[in-house]
Amino acid sequence: MNSLSRRRMSTLEDSTTATTDNTDSTQLDVGGLSQFAKLVVDEIQDRFGKEETRRVLESWINLDKGIEHDQVFGGEDEDKESYRQFAHSYVPGLQVQLFWDEQQFEWARKLEKKASVIINEFTKVNKQRNKEKLKNEGNNVWASALTEDANSYGVGWKTLVLNDRGTWDPQNCELFPKTARAVRDSGIPATEVFFASMDPNSEIKPHSDFTNFVLTCHLAIDIPENGQNKCRLTIGNVTKEWLNGKVMLFDTSVMHDAINETDETRYILMFRVWHPDLTDVEKEALQFIYDCILLPDIVASTGERRELALKQLETLRQFPTFKRGSGFGGASG
């Protein structure tokens, strides 16, 4: 879901060696790039500067060439298990932490303070008697994983999207206006925002989300048997349980898995957020790549078609304007 692209993801015999930064200080290896990838490279250099975005450019070039990052950490001490980072959308030089201290980030503290508002709205909208109406009024409500890469999530993992790569879903936000405003007002550096459900007595097998330049954040919404360690998340060699109203921040470019050992569905509000080691210019360049994937005419066309794509992007990026009385059942409060 969060990788830059799904094109050309062939596996190399030694992907760790292949992703080692062996370019010199002046040249980028653009030989063999697809036409679209080359257009994006040229535009990023023109807009943001070559040296300022070198790490992003290397990431994009390696992705287009099918070069993947595959690295094992730890394992030197007998009492510590190793863990694996695997990513085909990989920006070099970003620190790897399994779980981050979310309280160091102001946006996470603000989000937790708004947790009760989000939980109350979600509970109201997602009541059993409302689920059919929710499906009819929402957009792609509780959709299963759509890509081959996401198959490890299993059929029991479903999503309801509010924001995808910087683009708000006005139809779903209309159903959850308080949540959408809470996300916006918390200042979360999010590239994606969505509710995620996990079926009773199910597990998500070990997998990577394939991208290291975003971290994953969960706000626990409805955790069955809360505090009883029945709903757990393992990143690398560290396991934690979800707790209602609490935020967790972690790196899902590291192999991870999850389990729900209860007889009820687990719900979270999930975010992809920019890695804090990225510079502001790098974030802008990565967002530009997202935009080009969504609307290729931004770089693939000139004149009127390019201008139309830029105007369309501006519209898509706007925060929704809610109708009076918006919210599920017409009451936003």
Side-chain angles (χ1 to χ4, degrees):
M1 180 176 287
N2 59 318
S3 178
L4 284 177
S5 173
R6 292 293 185 241
R7 296 175 296 111
R8 300 188 63 187
M9 295 186 294
S10 58
T11 302
L12 303 185
E13 290 184 5
D14 186 357
S15 57
T16 303
T17 302
T19 55
T20 301
D21 180 12
N22 55 10
T23 57
D24 63 34
S25 61
T26 58
Q27 297 298 317
L28 290 167
D29 183 8
V30 296
L33 284 186
S34 66
Q35 181 181 8
F36 175 73
K38 182 63 167 60
L39 288 170
V40 172
V41 168
D42 291 343
E43 188 71 18
I44 287 176
Q45 291 183 100
D46 289 343
R47 284 178 176 237
F48 307 108
K50 178 179 178 180
E51 292 308 315
E52 293 85 349
T53 59
R54 174 171 290 276
R55 295 194 300 181
V56 172
L57 292 169
E58 289 174 1
S59 174
W60 176 243
I61 289 168
N62 286 341
L63 174 67
D64 190 69
K65 292 183 177 183
I67 299 174
E68 298 169 338
H69 176 85
D70 196 350
Q71 185 173 358
V72 174
F73 293 84
E76 298 87 358
D77 300 327
E78 291 185 3
D79 61 338
K80 292 184 179 180
E81 296 181 13
S82 61
Y83 56 89
R84 177 187 177 205
Q85 182 184 48
F86 179 55
H88 47 57
S89 291
Y90 177 81
V91 170
L94 305 181
Q95 62 179 308
V96 178
Q97 292 187 37
L98 302 182
F99 285 90
W100 289 66
D101 175 13
E102 69 284 345
Q103 293 303 314
Q104 69 179 297
F105 300 105
E106 183 180 8
W107 59 263
R109 299 193 299 271
K110 287 182 177 180
L111 179 62
E112 278 197 353
K113 290 179 180 179
K114 298 177 184 294
S116 61
V117 173
I118 295 170
I119 291 171
N120 289 340
E121 180 176 61
F122 179 82
T123 301
K124 177 182 177 182
V125 174
N126 200 52
K127 284 180 180 178
Q128 186 63 44
R129 65 179 180 272
N130 286 335
K131 286 186 176 179
E132 192 61 34
K133 186 178 179 183
L134 173 62
K135 181 177 279 189
N136 292 335
E137 292 189 9
N139 175 37
N140 212 17
V141 171
W142 300 128
S144 298
L146 300 178
T147 66
E148 183 179 348
D149 287 336
N151 282 343
S152 57
Y153 283 86
V155 296
W157 190 85
K158 300 179 178 66
T159 64
L160 194 165
V161 174
L162 301 180
N163 184 296
D164 184 20
R165 299 180 184 183
T167 299
W168 291 95
D169 186 315
Q171 195 170 339
N172 288 343
C173 288
E174 191 78 27
L175 299 174
F176 298 93
K178 294 180 182 179
T179 298
R181 291 190 187 100
V183 170
R184 179 198 62 186
D185 295 346
S186 295
I188 303 168
T191 65
E192 295 179 53
V193 184
F194 53 96
F195 293 105
S197 68
M198 187 176 180
D199 278 357
N201 298 300
S202 67
E203 64 178 2
I204 298 173
K205 298 183 183 301
H207 66 286
S208 167
D209 288 348
F210 304 108
T211 306
N212 82 320
F213 53 77
V214 293
L215 302 178
T216 298
C217 173
H218 287 178
L219 173 65
I221 297 294
D222 186 358
I223 309 302
E225 300 187 39
N226 185 55
Q228 300 302 308
N229 205 33
K230 294 292 186 71
C231 294
R232 302 184 302 277
L233 172 69
T234 298
I235 308 294
N237 54 22
V238 177
T239 299
K240 294 189 177 184
E241 65 172 319
W242 287 283
L243 293 171
N244 281 330
K246 296 299 182 182
V247 169
M248 287 200 295
L249 184 65
F250 43 92
D251 190 334
T252 49
S253 67
V254 174
M255 299 296 288
H256 58 285
D257 58 86
I259 191 165
N260 176 3
E261 294 179 327
T262 77
D263 295 329
E264 300 177 61
T265 303
R266 180 233 63 183
Y267 293 101
I268 58 169
L269 182 59
M270 185 166 170
F271 308 84
R272 310 289 190 189
V273 300
W274 294 121
H275 194 292
D277 288 351
L278 292 169
T279 67
D280 289 342
V281 173
E282 288 174 329
K283 295 172 192 174
E284 289 182 38
L286 287 165
Q287 182 61 57
F288 179 74
I289 294 175
Y290 282 154
D291 296 341
C292 291
I293 293 171
L294 177 65
L295 298 170
D297 280 343
I298 292 174
V299 291
S301 300
T302 57
E304 185 176 346
R305 287 183 62 184
R306 178 185 173 107
E307 289 303 314
L308 285 174
L310 291 171
K311 288 180 180 178
Q312 184 180 357
L313 178 63
E314 184 178 353
T315 300
L316 290 171
R317 296 283 291 278
Q318 290 177 354
F319 187 75
T321 300
F322 300 117
K323 302 172 186 175
R324 184 175 182 180
S326 64
F328 198 76
S332 64

